[in-house]
Amino acid sequence: MNLQNLPGQPHFAYRGDALYAENVALAALAQEHATPLFVYSKASMLAALAAYQRGFAGRNAQICYAMKANPALGVIQVFVQAGCGFDIVSGGELERVLAAGADARKIIFSGVGKTRAEMCRALDVGIGCFNVESEAELEVLNEVAQSCGKRAPVSIRVNPNVDPKTHPYISTGLKGNKFGVAHERVVATYQRAHALAGLQVVGIDCHIGSQITQEGPYLDSVDRMLDLVEAIEAAGIPIHHIDFGGGLGINYDGDEPPKADALWAKLLAKLDARGFGARQLMIEPGRSLVGNAGVCVTEVLYLKPGEQKNFLIIDAAMNDLPRPALYQAFHEIVPLRPRAEATATTWEVVGPVCESGDWIGHERVLAVQPGDLLAVLSAGAYCMSMASNYNSRGRAAEILVDGSQAYVIRQRETIEDQMRAERLPYPTV
Ligand code: LLP
């Protein structure tokens, strides 16, 4: 790999032989804040957002950041200040976006298992839309809204039965998935929603999967959605907005997903051709806004050459970077300061967690010594958000870089933090 150009991460680059995030050397951050350490580039997030904004220029569109990708308050605040709305999936996510200053009216609430308490709180703060995922949820939301004297704004999440051609765990719009209301039940579900006094139909929603790298599934789902909007409106129920979900992929391993602006030019041409170009549009991108805006800096602890495999043991593990263990995902791994003199070896890059599933990279060719620092790339999405305390490891610190400034947006979790909510049942002796 050409070390001058990190794949898809233009705001992370080598200057001389040191890797920088914008104008800040990653090694200096590691020295000050220790490792493992997540470092995010604000400029990279804004550049990713700008691609969508260019795509929607002159349109009536709302970009709702799917904050599950990276829910750090400091990251959410970047998107609040950029005018985004938010796609949330839990009461916890609701409190986070509110704490970061989001406008409640720009919040949409997705998810198959919303509780009554979550619905109640979301109604209280006045969110923009509930993306309802089943007929049963519709009835409960109606009850909850009526009991607090409100009308809940709703979209029905449609399962368009489109194959997003991605990892099965992150496909969501196929018939066998738990998400959304089946295509053939949609009109009847809208008729029911329209008849319930506690609900107000405002839109329609879909989300077909994640890390989608082809345009075909999007083009297919647009057609299916528009067919449904026509059928629902023919039944006398106006649809104010159309939400096409998120899912656009990023470059992890030479992937070449469509660019957000180019994709939307095509999708909008389809909408225009069918007379829906002036409709309010919503999208829920997560990964494509933050994935390539982050890296995880980690230190080489030990080299353990072996007969069959050579193990390179780093201080980041599956609890920090769960995607390889969960989805066999590929994350590029590069040195912060490449060694010219050392000969490269092929390594299994693994963490300290006590499981063979704790691997970060297979068969990586790296010239390294203990104490060297590495960066695991494209770690801005679904890494810290899925991090755990497995093996009682504290979660990493997070830094937001803005030009030459580096802000600590999350301190490293201490063991006291981890034990705070726990109680010993018996006196200690
Ligand atoms: N909207 C809904 C309703 C979703 O369920 C998701 C993601 C998104 C939007 C955002 O999708 P994105 O633009 O980020 O692809 N942990 C997995 C990804 C799970 C995605 C879940 N839903 C991974 O690490 O690949």
Side-chain angles (χ1 to χ4, degrees):
M1 189 185 58
N2 172 2
L3 288 180
Q4 298 311 312
N5 296 306
L6 300 183
Q9 301 208 266
H11 298 89
F12 294 83
Y14 286 95
R15 294 194 190 167
D17 61 358
L19 186 55
Y20 276 69
E22 302 190 27
N23 297 327
V24 177
L26 291 176
L29 292 176
Q31 174 102 45
E32 189 176 346
H33 303 286
T35 53
L37 182 70
F38 283 88
V39 182
Y40 308 123
S41 154
K42 178 181 178 184
S44 177
M45 294 177 202
L46 294 181
L49 177 63
Y52 282 102
Q53 289 166 329
R54 279 195 303 278
F56 288 127
R59 304 284 179 155
N60 178 9
Q62 175 69 59
I63 300 167
C64 292
Y65 167 49
M67 58 165 289
K68 63 171 77 66
N70 189 324
L73 293 177
V75 170
I76 296 171
Q77 192 179 37
V78 168
F79 292 107
V80 169
Q81 290 180 351
C84 288
F86 295 89
D87 173 64
I88 62 164
V89 291
S90 73
E93 288 198 343
L94 176 59
E95 297 310 328
R96 280 185 173 272
V97 290
L98 294 174
D103 176 350
R105 289 164 305 179
K106 292 187 190 170
I107 298 173
I108 53 182
F109 195 169
S110 304
V112 295
K114 302 175 193 79
T115 65
R116 286 168 191 262
E118 287 172 329
M119 290 172 176
C120 203
R121 173 75 176 141
L123 283 166
D124 264 356
V125 302
I127 69 161
C129 186
F130 289 84
N131 288 343
V132 171
E133 301 236 11
S134 64
E135 296 171 60
E137 181 191 335
L138 205 59
E139 302 295 329
V140 172
L141 181 58
N142 175 55
E143 268 173 48
V144 174
Q146 284 192 297
S147 70
C148 50
K150 301 234 160 69
R151 276 187 96 190
V154 296
S155 282
I156 308 284
R157 177 167 172 184
V158 173
N159 182 335
N161 197 23
V162 166
D163 184 357
K165 303 193 167 59
T166 182
H167 191 285
Y169 284 11
I170 50 179
S171 292
T172 47
L174 275 169
K175 259 192 176 163
N177 297 132
K178 68 179 174 183
F179 300 97
V181 171
H183 206 259
E184 44 292 352
R185 290 289 308 155
V186 169
V187 175
T189 309
Y190 268 97
Q191 282 168 326
R192 177 70 182 147
H194 192 54
L196 292 171
L199 304 182
Q200 174 164 25
V201 171
V202 292
I204 187 167
D205 165 54
C206 76
H207 171 76
I208 55 174
S210 197
Q211 186 53 18
I212 300 170
T213 54
Q214 300 171 27
E215 63 184 28
Y218 279 107
L219 291 165
D220 291 350
S221 68
V222 164
D223 271 330
R224 283 168 174 263
M225 290 285 280
L226 296 184
D227 291 347
L228 283 170
V229 175
E230 282 168 355
I232 297 159
E233 294 196 328
I237 306 167
I239 297 293
H240 178 68
H241 74 250
I242 309 177
D243 178 345
F244 291 102
L248 186 57
I250 62 169
N251 178 5
Y252 287 105
D253 187 14
D255 308 290
E256 289 180 351
K259 304 261 179 288
D261 44 358
L263 175 67
W264 275 97
K266 290 199 178 164
L267 298 179
L268 287 166
K270 239 178 197 300
L271 286 159
D272 288 341
R274 293 188 57 174
F276 288 96
R279 202 63 68 108
Q280 189 186 9
L281 304 176
M282 304 246 227
I283 52 164
E284 307 164 2
R287 186 193 319 263
S288 53
L289 292 179
V290 292
N292 282 333
V295 301
C296 178
V297 180
T298 173
E299 183 181 321
V300 176
L301 295 177
Y302 300 103
L303 303 183
K304 191 173 173 185
E307 246 177 55
Q308 290 189 351
K309 285 179 177 171
N310 301 313
F311 291 100
L312 191 166
I313 301 165
I314 59 177
D315 67 358
M318 65 189 289
N319 73 299
D320 306 295
L321 295 160
R323 303 192 66 258
L326 272 174
Y327 319 111
Q328 295 79 47
F330 178 94
H331 287 264
E332 186 64 84
I333 304 171
V334 300
L336 258 51
R337 186 177 291 276
R339 288 178 170 272
E341 76 285 7
T343 37
T345 306
T346 300
W347 300 102
E348 290 295 300
V349 182
V350 300
V353 160
C354 302
E355 287 211 23
S356 294
D358 180 25
W359 61 278
I360 307 297
H362 284 311
E363 298 189 347
R364 301 305 172 87
V365 180
L366 289 161
V368 282
Q369 292 296 329
D372 283 6
L373 294 168
L374 303 174
V376 179
L377 304 187
S378 304
Y382 302 114
C383 291
M384 263 306 272
S385 63
M386 298 198 298
S388 76
N389 291 126
Y390 189 37
N391 280 201
S392 291
R393 292 166 51 88
R395 279 175 300 169
E398 294 179 292
I399 306 288
L400 180 75
V401 169
D402 178 3
S404 303
Q405 285 282 335
Y407 299 95
V408 177
I409 57 168
R410 185 198 300 263
Q411 293 182 335
R412 188 171 302 284
E413 199 173 21
T414 64
I415 188 60
E416 290 74 27
D417 294 332
Q418 281 191 59
M419 296 193 294
R420 182 158 300 129
E422 297 182 48
R423 300 289 178 269
L424 289 170
Y426 309 110
T428 50
V429 277

